[in-house]
Amino acid sequence: MYSEDEIDPHRGQAQATASANRSLYNSIDPFAEGRPEGEAWGAQEPSAHTGSDAGTHADSDTGTHADSDTGTHADSNAGAHTGSNSGAQPPAGEAAAAPLLRFTVGQMVDRSKRTPGFTFDVMTTLPSFKARRYAGVERNQIEFERLQAHLRATYPECLVPTLGPGTTASKYVGDYQNDRIVVQLLQQWLARVAAHPLLRQDYELRQFVEAPFAFNPALTSAPALSVAPAPSAGFFSWGKARARVARSANPTAFERQLEATAENLDAFQRNLGDVRRWHGRLARARARLALDVRDAGTKLVSAGMVEHNAGLARALKRTGKSLLHVGACAQGQASLEGSRAVAVADVYTLACDNVQRTLGSRQAIFTEHQVAARQLERRRQAVAELRVSASIGAAQAQEALAELAAAQADADSKRARAERVDRVLAADLHAFETNREGDLRALFGALGRDQLQAERQVLGELRAALDTVRHAGSAGSSSTALSG
């Protein structure tokens, strides 16, 4: 049967994804006001670096898949404990370059536990980090989920990448676990977080790397907005329609684009559920086929063991062994179809929910800005009325001015946030669509390659069995003629 190395189950996409994201942020720079034109975010991570980059060694066949060695690289200073500084300095070229942040997932550790753990190395030149290299950092799936929850709560206007499930087991393949897929999905997530100009600067992300013990961020749920986002139906909406994104009587071009994006992702999410379900059914059907083929092969081998005719016995045993091999190939295909496609579908189901939630947060942020602007106008009117009043006292005037100053500060803050949210969303949606296209192309490309390779192995095995049967038949005819 083919090995996991022969048919890579996911082939990871972290390097190409990170490079694509960096190139996107080269052309769209909405994150820093006042940045001089021509100074792009891509300068943060020089493209010359290879080797330890997140998901480096892109597969030449796919262009978006990481090599099979992804997740097995060890930093030259490996052995240091979590957050410890090895004392090594980055190469001279890195010291002069703009800040970078690079994660390299090593391997999954202690699968026996209920929650899988992972080790990873970090290399960075961000000034907020205490060291430049961290080797052997260990975190479990729950801690990664806490970091994701913190990022989403802290940056509701950003499309935070969706973390992989931490397992490949599903109802379609039982207890089948493919750690390779899990590690590659995690590598992809870390690379995308590290490529985001806002998320990479987060304080808790640094704590995630440097904390010597368990990681538990202070904020894992979004603070309540003064105006709650409009509710929208989830994936299992049972036919409920989602709220439209653009509610303005005169929506801008960008608001119309957001509305179209929401409707497109809503339809995509529904279709994705069907794709997931049919892949699962295909995996179950192929698993049943594999079982039946192996049973047939076992029976033929048993028949060959008791057959007195030497030629026929050889043919029976060879055919039976071929069927056993074919059954093993079918079982491997079933495991991959019921795990890899299901895992990617689950990731993008949650990612679409996250996009819809972010678009709802944008509406709430703009509504907050409008409410703050109206409140500021009321305060200005109140101050104007007091100025023309003949009976105003000093304390009353001081209180009115203080309220006006607070309203002005609040309105300025809400306006700045509202102005930033569209710039952030423009870049994040662009990156999301590029990643979505690349991930699905990579998924179905890998499925096609795996299918072709498995079918070639099956055909080769059956051809060899047919040659054995023909040879046994020729030998039997010759022996019969000689005995006659």
Side-chain angles (χ1 to χ4, degrees):
M1 180 181 175
Y2 57 86
S3 66
E4 294 290 350
D5 290 332
E6 292 170 341
I7 298 182
D8 191 338
H10 191 55
R11 308 180 194 275
Q13 309 171 44
Q15 164 64 14
T17 298
S19 299
N21 283 347
R22 288 195 293 270
S23 65
L24 286 174
Y25 293 126
N26 275 342
S27 58
I28 302 176
D29 181 14
F31 299 99
E33 300 180 8
R35 180 182 294 274
E37 289 189 18
E39 182 180 352
W41 279 109
Q44 298 173 86
E45 298 191 358
S47 58
H49 294 294
T50 57
S52 61
D53 195 0
T56 311
H57 311 298
D59 193 312
S60 59
D61 293 334
T62 66
T64 58
H65 294 163
D67 185 75
S68 59
D69 290 334
T70 301
T72 58
H73 301 295
D75 193 280
S76 60
N77 298 305
H81 194 265
T82 302
S84 60
N85 186 0
S86 61
Q89 297 297 326
E94 289 183 10
L100 66 87
L101 178 61
R102 180 177 300 147
F103 292 88
T104 305
V105 180
Q107 61 183 354
M108 182 180 292
V109 295
D110 205 356
R111 165 59 85 178
S112 61
K113 288 186 177 180
R114 194 171 193 180
T115 302
F118 307 89
T119 60
F120 59 91
D121 301 335
V122 182
M123 183 171 68
T124 181
T125 57
L126 289 172
S128 59
F129 283 77
K130 297 178 181 178
R132 291 293 172 259
R133 296 181 187 270
Y134 302 83
V137 182
E138 184 172 339
R139 293 283 180 257
N140 60 38
Q141 181 70 15
I142 292 178
E143 291 173 300
F144 278 99
E145 291 172 358
R146 288 173 182 166
L147 176 60
Q148 176 184 244
H150 162 78
L151 293 175
R152 286 182 175 171
T154 307
Y155 306 97
E157 70 274 19
C158 294
L159 292 181
V160 177
T162 301
L163 183 64
T167 179
T168 55
S170 70
K171 65 180 182 180
Y172 304 112
V173 290
D175 295 331
Y176 174 75
Q177 292 288 353
N178 192 318
D179 293 348
R180 185 189 187 91
I181 295 176
V182 175
V183 168
Q184 289 173 345
L185 287 175
L186 180 62
Q187 178 73 75
Q188 172 183 278
W189 184 78
L190 286 171
R192 289 175 179 176
V193 169
H196 196 287
L198 281 182
L199 304 182
R200 63 190 289 154
Q201 303 287 344
D202 185 72
Y203 169 79
E204 292 292 354
L205 179 60
R206 176 171 69 85
Q207 290 297 104
F208 182 77
V209 173
E210 296 180 344
F213 303 109
F215 172 73
N216 194 10
L219 182 63
T220 55
S221 60
L225 295 171
S226 58
V227 179
S232 61
F235 176 62
F236 299 103
S237 58
W238 305 105
K240 297 178 183 178
R242 289 186 183 273
R244 295 172 67 85
V245 173
R247 295 181 179 274
S248 173
N250 298 305
T252 64
F254 186 63
E255 286 174 335
R256 288 192 293 269
Q257 177 187 345
L258 293 183
E259 184 176 8
T261 298
E263 292 175 353
N264 177 62
L265 291 181
D266 191 18
F268 169 74
Q269 195 176 25
R270 290 196 301 270
N271 293 329
L272 193 63
D274 293 336
V275 170
R276 182 187 189 279
R277 182 167 59 256
W278 284 108
H279 263 287
R281 291 180 180 179
L282 177 61
R284 283 178 172 173
R286 201 183 293 275
R288 289 193 294 269
L289 173 64
L291 181 61
D292 293 340
V293 170
R294 287 201 301 267
D295 287 344
T298 301
K299 297 296 183 182
L300 286 177
V301 172
S302 299
M305 296 295 292
V306 299
E307 176 60 46
H308 296 292
N309 185 312
L312 180 57
R314 186 165 56 252
L316 288 173
K317 288 187 286 186
R318 184 65 183 86
T319 304
K321 290 179 180 178
S322 295
L323 291 182
L324 289 174
H325 182 86
V326 171
C329 285
Q331 182 58 55
Q333 288 177 280
S335 297
L336 293 179
E337 288 168 348
S339 60
R340 174 179 50 199
V342 170
V344 173
D346 287 344
V347 167
Y348 269 95
T349 295
L350 296 175
C352 289
D353 282 337
N354 183 40
V355 172
Q356 300 286 2
R357 183 168 50 251
T358 303
L359 297 182
S361 296
R362 174 192 177 274
Q363 289 184 6
I365 289 171
F366 270 83
T367 304
E368 279 189 336
H369 166 51
Q370 295 168 1
V371 171
R374 288 195 295 268
Q375 187 68 18
L376 174 61
E377 186 60 29
R378 292 193 191 99
R379 296 300 179 191
R380 286 174 176 168
Q381 292 175 2
V383 170
E385 292 174 0
L386 289 175
R387 283 177 177 172
V388 298
S389 175
S391 59
I392 182 175
Q396 188 178 5
Q398 189 68 24
E399 181 181 358
L401 291 175
E403 290 176 350
L404 176 61
Q408 182 70 58
D410 183 58
D412 290 344
S413 174
K414 298 293 174 56
R415 184 183 67 254
R417 189 179 187 187
E419 291 173 349
R420 186 180 69 169
V421 65
D422 279 357
R423 295 195 301 271
V424 171
L425 271 179
D428 282 2
L429 283 174
H430 189 188
F432 175 81
E433 288 298 333
T434 301
N435 292 334
R436 183 166 69 105
E437 179 183 358
D439 291 347
L440 294 180
R441 283 178 180 270
L443 170 64
F444 293 115
L447 286 173
R449 283 190 301 274
D450 294 347
Q451 183 74 16
L452 286 174
Q453 186 167 347
E455 294 297 338
R456 289 192 188 103
Q457 292 179 358
V458 169
L459 289 175
E461 188 67 26
L462 293 178
R463 187 178 293 111
L466 180 60
D467 292 342
T468 301
V469 171
R470 286 174 176 172
H471 179 72
S474 301
S477 300
S478 300
S479 61
T480 301
L482 290 174
S483 63

